[in-house]
Amino acid sequence: MMNDLFDSVDGEGWSEPVGDGVVVLRRFASSASPALMAAVADIAAQAPFRHMVTPGGHSMSAAMTCAGSLGWVTDARGYRYQSCDPQTGRAWPAMPPKFFALAQQAAERAGFPGFEPDACLVNRYRPGAKMGLHQDKDERDFSQPIVSVSLGLPIVFQFGGLRRSDRPQRVILEHGDVVVWGGVARLNYHGVLTLKAGHHPLTDEFRYNLTFRKAG
Ligand SMILES: O=C(O)CCC(=O)C(=O)O
């Protein structure tokens, strides 16, 4: 990565490299956050948040919905992307232009120009919810990065290596922070620890996470 510790950005915030291929863009999405949350409400009105079930039969503690031409789904048949929402039978809501622009700008800032996400997974965490270590590997093209936007309550993000057993680094993610990983880190294990109770002026008792992927 070409980021120096605490170098400044043209827009908001500053960059903190976590390792090769992964950087936290601190507060990169702060000023856009009210508009992002309004768009999340629009998306959820069309494709409601739901607790998807893993192939092993476990209900995920984070509630999810999606936007874009593809959405990520898990059920008894496995993990996959598909163009329609299995709950409504309709196409997923379109990717809001402000989502696309923010993700593209963040990717470029992190050294991945030309990112064109076609899927945005929206995760909603209540206190007690978490996401265990996993790899994002249902996408077709691993040359494209993952862009992950944190909104609302803080949480501890874990970023490990290529093996589940690799000891992860822990980074606190706060409102407006954006994590970008790609290149040698694209398939690294990652997740978040259990959300602690709190209140955020924009998101109440929740934390939201938008992850942008080039899935198809
Ligand atoms: O909520 C987060 O920050 C992580 C989400 C995540 O790992 C994922 O959606 O694959």
Side-chain angles (χ1 to χ4, degrees), residues 64 121 123 125 131-132 134 136 146 148-150 155 157 173 181 190-192 207-209 211 213:
M64 296 177 177
L121 176 56
N123 296 308
Y125 299 82
M131 194 172 292
H134 64 280
D136 290 349
I146 302 287
S148 174
V149 178
S150 288
I155 205 162
F157 179 65
L173 296 180
W181 64 95
H190 59 279
V192 291
R207 169 182 184 261
Y208 292 84
N209 168 257
T211 44
R213 299 104 186 269

mmCIF file of all heavy atoms in Angstrom, residues 64 121 123 125 131-132 134 136 146 148-150 155 157 173 181 190-192 207-209 211 213, ligand 1:
data_model
loop_
_atom_site.group_PDB
_atom_site.id
_atom_site.type_symbol
_atom_site.label_atom_id
_atom_site.label_comp_id
_atom_site.label_asym_id
_atom_site.label_seq_id
_atom_site.Cartn_x
_atom_site.Cartn_y
_atom_site.Cartn_z
ATOM 1 N N MET A 64 -29.679 -8.194 7.677
ATOM 2 C CA MET A 64 -29.072 -7.816 6.402
ATOM 3 C C MET A 64 -30.107 -7.452 5.354
ATOM 4 O O MET A 64 -31.215 -7.989 5.346
ATOM 5 C CB MET A 64 -28.257 -8.977 5.818
ATOM 6 C CG MET A 64 -27.086 -9.358 6.654
ATOM 7 S SD MET A 64 -26.257 -10.772 5.913
ATOM 8 C CE MET A 64 -24.889 -10.912 7.047
ATOM 9 N N LEU A 121 -23.823 -4.960 0.439
ATOM 10 C CA LEU A 121 -24.473 -5.682 1.537
ATOM 11 C C LEU A 121 -24.590 -4.715 2.707
ATOM 12 O O LEU A 121 -23.602 -4.086 3.094
ATOM 13 C CB LEU A 121 -23.614 -6.895 1.896
ATOM 14 C CG LEU A 121 -24.039 -7.752 3.080
ATOM 15 C CD1 LEU A 121 -25.455 -8.272 2.925
ATOM 16 C CD2 LEU A 121 -23.073 -8.934 3.225
ATOM 17 N N ASN A 123 -25.390 -4.404 6.571
ATOM 18 C CA ASN A 123 -25.518 -5.162 7.826
ATOM 19 C C ASN A 123 -26.014 -4.229 8.914
ATOM 20 O O ASN A 123 -25.528 -3.101 9.041
ATOM 21 C CB ASN A 123 -24.154 -5.699 8.264
ATOM 22 C CG ASN A 123 -23.568 -6.703 7.292
ATOM 23 O OD1 ASN A 123 -24.229 -7.664 6.931
ATOM 24 N ND2 ASN A 123 -22.336 -6.473 6.869
ATOM 25 N N TYR A 125 -26.410 -4.140 13.042
ATOM 26 C CA TYR A 125 -26.077 -4.814 14.296
ATOM 27 C C TYR A 125 -26.803 -4.150 15.450
ATOM 28 O O TYR A 125 -26.749 -2.935 15.599
ATOM 29 C CB TYR A 125 -24.571 -4.702 14.580
ATOM 30 C CG TYR A 125 -23.673 -5.320 13.540
ATOM 31 C CD1 TYR A 125 -23.345 -4.626 12.376
ATOM 32 C CD2 TYR A 125 -23.127 -6.579 13.724
ATOM 33 C CE1 TYR A 125 -22.502 -5.189 11.418
ATOM 34 C CE2 TYR A 125 -22.272 -7.147 12.775
ATOM 35 C CZ TYR A 125 -21.978 -6.444 11.631
ATOM 36 O OH TYR A 125 -21.148 -6.997 10.681
ATOM 37 N N MET A 131 -20.086 -10.622 13.925
ATOM 38 C CA MET A 131 -19.852 -11.411 12.712
ATOM 39 C C MET A 131 -18.522 -12.115 12.869
ATOM 40 O O MET A 131 -17.483 -11.468 13.035
ATOM 41 C CB MET A 131 -19.871 -10.536 11.462
ATOM 42 C CG MET A 131 -19.964 -11.367 10.196
ATOM 43 S SD MET A 131 -20.214 -10.393 8.727
ATOM 44 C CE MET A 131 -21.868 -9.778 8.983
ATOM 45 N N GLY A 132 -18.554 -13.426 12.865
ATOM 46 C CA GLY A 132 -17.345 -14.224 13.070
ATOM 47 C C GLY A 132 -16.369 -14.086 11.915
ATOM 48 O O GLY A 132 -16.712 -13.595 10.829
ATOM 49 N N HIS A 134 -14.413 -14.629 8.738
ATOM 50 C CA HIS A 134 -14.787 -15.285 7.480
ATOM 51 C C HIS A 134 -14.009 -14.625 6.347
ATOM 52 O O HIS A 134 -13.437 -13.547 6.530
ATOM 53 C CB HIS A 134 -16.299 -15.127 7.224
ATOM 54 C CG HIS A 134 -16.705 -13.704 7.037
ATOM 55 N ND1 HIS A 134 -16.903 -12.840 8.092
ATOM 56 C CD2 HIS A 134 -16.904 -12.958 5.912
ATOM 57 C CE1 HIS A 134 -17.227 -11.649 7.638
ATOM 58 N NE2 HIS A 134 -17.227 -11.690 6.311
ATOM 59 N N ASP A 136 -14.398 -13.141 2.339
ATOM 60 C CA ASP A 136 -15.360 -12.771 1.296
ATOM 61 C C ASP A 136 -14.855 -13.422 0.008
ATOM 62 O O ASP A 136 -13.916 -12.918 -0.624
ATOM 63 C CB ASP A 136 -15.418 -11.236 1.136
ATOM 64 C CG ASP A 136 -16.082 -10.559 2.325
ATOM 65 O OD1 ASP A 136 -16.674 -11.259 3.173
ATOM 66 O OD2 ASP A 136 -16.006 -9.328 2.404
ATOM 67 N N ILE A 146 -12.544 -4.866 -1.454
ATOM 68 C CA ILE A 146 -13.764 -4.733 -0.645
ATOM 69 C C ILE A 146 -13.689 -3.366 0.030
ATOM 70 O O ILE A 146 -12.644 -2.987 0.559
ATOM 71 C CB ILE A 146 -13.829 -5.824 0.445
ATOM 72 C CG1 ILE A 146 -13.784 -7.227 -0.142
ATOM 73 C CG2 ILE A 146 -15.058 -5.614 1.326
ATOM 74 C CD1 ILE A 146 -15.030 -7.687 -0.853
ATOM 75 N N SER A 148 -15.657 -1.136 2.979
ATOM 76 C CA SER A 148 -16.563 -1.393 4.109
ATOM 77 C C SER A 148 -16.735 -0.117 4.931
ATOM 78 O O SER A 148 -15.768 0.405 5.488
ATOM 79 C CB SER A 148 -15.932 -2.525 4.943
ATOM 80 O OG SER A 148 -16.652 -2.740 6.116
ATOM 81 N N VAL A 149 -17.971 0.363 5.012
ATOM 82 C CA VAL A 149 -18.274 1.662 5.632
ATOM 83 C C VAL A 149 -18.977 1.424 6.968
ATOM 84 O O VAL A 149 -19.967 0.690 7.025
ATOM 85 C CB VAL A 149 -19.200 2.486 4.707
ATOM 86 C CG1 VAL A 149 -19.568 3.825 5.344
ATOM 87 C CG2 VAL A 149 -18.552 2.694 3.338
ATOM 88 N N SER A 150 -18.484 2.055 8.033
ATOM 89 C CA SER A 150 -19.079 1.902 9.365
ATOM 90 C C SER A 150 -19.908 3.124 9.713
ATOM 91 O O SER A 150 -19.436 4.263 9.583
ATOM 92 C CB SER A 150 -17.974 1.751 10.417
ATOM 93 O OG SER A 150 -17.366 0.496 10.313
ATOM 94 N N ILE A 155 -17.326 -0.425 16.999
ATOM 95 C CA ILE A 155 -17.202 -1.883 17.145
ATOM 96 C C ILE A 155 -15.738 -2.257 16.953
ATOM 97 O O ILE A 155 -14.974 -1.480 16.345
ATOM 98 C CB ILE A 155 -18.110 -2.614 16.113
ATOM 99 C CG1 ILE A 155 -18.502 -4.006 16.593
ATOM 100 C CG2 ILE A 155 -17.441 -2.664 14.736
ATOM 101 C CD1 ILE A 155 -19.707 -4.595 15.871
ATOM 102 N N PHE A 157 -13.182 -4.355 14.990
ATOM 103 C CA PHE A 157 -13.005 -5.074 13.728
ATOM 104 C C PHE A 157 -11.788 -5.965 13.883
ATOM 105 O O PHE A 157 -10.770 -5.544 14.442
ATOM 106 C CB PHE A 157 -12.791 -4.041 12.626
ATOM 107 C CG PHE A 157 -12.569 -4.590 11.240
ATOM 108 C CD1 PHE A 157 -13.567 -5.283 10.577
ATOM 109 C CD2 PHE A 157 -11.363 -4.363 10.578
ATOM 110 C CE1 PHE A 157 -13.376 -5.752 9.280
ATOM 111 C CE2 PHE A 157 -11.156 -4.823 9.287
ATOM 112 C CZ PHE A 157 -12.164 -5.518 8.639
ATOM 113 N N LEU A 173 -13.523 0.465 14.950
ATOM 114 C CA LEU A 173 -14.113 1.242 13.851
ATOM 115 C C LEU A 173 -15.209 2.130 14.415
ATOM 116 O O LEU A 173 -16.105 1.666 15.124
ATOM 117 C CB LEU A 173 -14.697 0.310 12.787
ATOM 118 C CG LEU A 173 -13.681 -0.568 12.068
ATOM 119 C CD1 LEU A 173 -14.378 -1.444 11.036
ATOM 120 C CD2 LEU A 173 -12.588 0.279 11.412
ATOM 121 N N TRP A 181 -9.830 -3.238 1.691
ATOM 122 C CA TRP A 181 -8.787 -4.248 1.565
ATOM 123 C C TRP A 181 -8.845 -4.889 0.188
ATOM 124 O O TRP A 181 -9.910 -5.030 -0.407
ATOM 125 C CB TRP A 181 -8.808 -5.273 2.688
ATOM 126 C CG TRP A 181 -9.995 -6.168 2.816
ATOM 127 C CD1 TRP A 181 -10.132 -7.428 2.318
ATOM 128 C CD2 TRP A 181 -11.206 -5.892 3.550
ATOM 129 N NE1 TRP A 181 -11.347 -7.945 2.684
ATOM 130 C CE2 TRP A 181 -12.016 -7.043 3.443
ATOM 131 C CE3 TRP A 181 -11.666 -4.794 4.278
ATOM 132 C CZ2 TRP A 181 -13.286 -7.105 4.027
ATOM 133 C CZ3 TRP A 181 -12.924 -4.857 4.856
ATOM 134 C CH2 TRP A 181 -13.712 -6.000 4.729
ATOM 135 N N HIS A 190 -11.744 -11.893 8.256
ATOM 136 C CA HIS A 190 -12.105 -10.663 8.969
ATOM 137 C C HIS A 190 -13.468 -10.876 9.623
ATOM 138 O O HIS A 190 -14.204 -11.797 9.264
ATOM 139 C CB HIS A 190 -12.143 -9.467 8.006
ATOM 140 C CG HIS A 190 -13.128 -9.654 6.902
ATOM 141 N ND1 HIS A 190 -12.847 -10.405 5.763
ATOM 142 C CD2 HIS A 190 -14.417 -9.251 6.770
ATOM 143 C CE1 HIS A 190 -13.904 -10.429 4.996
ATOM 144 N NE2 HIS A 190 -14.888 -9.741 5.580
ATOM 145 N N GLY A 191 -13.799 -9.985 10.541
ATOM 146 C CA GLY A 191 -15.101 -10.057 11.214
ATOM 147 C C GLY A 191 -15.177 -8.948 12.246
ATOM 148 O O GLY A 191 -14.277 -8.104 12.334
ATOM 149 N N VAL A 192 -16.266 -8.936 13.012
ATOM 150 C CA VAL A 192 -16.387 -7.940 14.086
ATOM 151 C C VAL A 192 -16.808 -8.640 15.371
ATOM 152 O O VAL A 192 -17.561 -9.622 15.356
ATOM 153 C CB VAL A 192 -17.389 -6.804 13.749
ATOM 154 C CG1 VAL A 192 -16.848 -5.914 12.637
ATOM 155 C CG2 VAL A 192 -18.773 -7.329 13.415
ATOM 156 N N ARG A 207 -25.548 -0.282 14.941
ATOM 157 C CA ARG A 207 -24.420 0.002 14.053
ATOM 158 C C ARG A 207 -24.794 -0.554 12.682
ATOM 159 O O ARG A 207 -25.345 -1.666 12.589
ATOM 160 C CB ARG A 207 -23.144 -0.697 14.524
ATOM 161 C CG ARG A 207 -22.030 -0.636 13.474
ATOM 162 C CD ARG A 207 -20.788 -1.366 13.906
ATOM 163 N NE ARG A 207 -19.729 -1.202 12.936
ATOM 164 C CZ ARG A 207 -19.412 -2.100 11.997
ATOM 165 N NH1 ARG A 207 -20.083 -3.248 11.904
ATOM 166 N NH2 ARG A 207 -18.436 -1.872 11.147
ATOM 167 N N TYR A 208 -24.506 0.221 11.653
ATOM 168 C CA TYR A 208 -24.721 -0.239 10.276
ATOM 169 C C TYR A 208 -23.370 -0.369 9.595
ATOM 170 O O TYR A 208 -22.433 0.373 9.888
ATOM 171 C CB TYR A 208 -25.575 0.761 9.480
ATOM 172 C CG TYR A 208 -26.998 0.842 9.960
ATOM 173 C CD1 TYR A 208 -27.336 1.657 11.043
ATOM 174 C CD2 TYR A 208 -28.003 0.107 9.357
ATOM 175 C CE1 TYR A 208 -28.640 1.736 11.496
ATOM 176 C CE2 TYR A 208 -29.315 0.175 9.808
ATOM 177 C CZ TYR A 208 -29.630 0.993 10.874
ATOM 178 O OH TYR A 208 -30.922 1.060 11.329
ATOM 179 N N ASN A 209 -23.315 -1.311 8.680
ATOM 180 C CA ASN A 209 -22.103 -1.493 7.885
ATOM 181 C C ASN A 209 -22.528 -1.700 6.444
ATOM 182 O O ASN A 209 -23.429 -2.500 6.162
ATOM 183 C CB ASN A 209 -21.319 -2.710 8.404
ATOM 184 C CG ASN A 209 -20.221 -3.135 7.456
ATOM 185 O OD1 ASN A 209 -20.359 -4.114 6.741
ATOM 186 N ND2 ASN A 209 -19.149 -2.396 7.426
ATOM 187 N N THR A 211 -21.008 -2.970 2.950
ATOM 188 C CA THR A 211 -19.818 -3.500 2.265
ATOM 189 C C THR A 211 -20.092 -3.559 0.775
ATOM 190 O O THR A 211 -21.112 -4.124 0.331
ATOM 191 C CB THR A 211 -19.357 -4.900 2.714
ATOM 192 O OG1 THR A 211 -20.448 -5.763 2.842
ATOM 193 C CG2 THR A 211 -18.538 -4.864 3.957
ATOM 194 N N ARG A 213 -18.922 -4.618 -2.988
ATOM 195 C CA ARG A 213 -18.168 -5.668 -3.674
ATOM 196 C C ARG A 213 -18.431 -5.599 -5.180
ATOM 197 O O ARG A 213 -19.512 -5.188 -5.593
ATOM 198 C CB ARG A 213 -18.625 -7.051 -3.210
ATOM 199 C CG ARG A 213 -18.460 -7.357 -1.740
ATOM 200 C CD ARG A 213 -19.757 -7.281 -0.988
ATOM 201 N NE ARG A 213 -19.583 -7.446 0.466
ATOM 202 C CZ ARG A 213 -19.643 -8.609 1.086
ATOM 203 N NH1 ARG A 213 -19.894 -9.709 0.409
ATOM 204 N NH2 ARG A 213 -19.467 -8.677 2.382
HETATM 205 O O1 LIG B 1 -19.569 -5.158 9.882
HETATM 206 C C1 LIG B 1 -18.414 -5.150 9.515
HETATM 207 O O2 LIG B 1 -17.624 -4.220 9.738
HETATM 208 C C2 LIG B 1 -17.868 -6.351 8.750
HETATM 209 C C3 LIG B 1 -18.864 -6.919 7.773
HETATM 210 C C4 LIG B 1 -18.305 -8.060 7.007
HETATM 211 O O3 LIG B 1 -17.289 -8.589 7.334
HETATM 212 C C5 LIG B 1 -18.994 -8.558 5.830
HETATM 213 O O4 LIG B 1 -20.109 -8.096 5.520
HETATM 214 O O5 LIG B 1 -18.436 -9.441 5.161
#
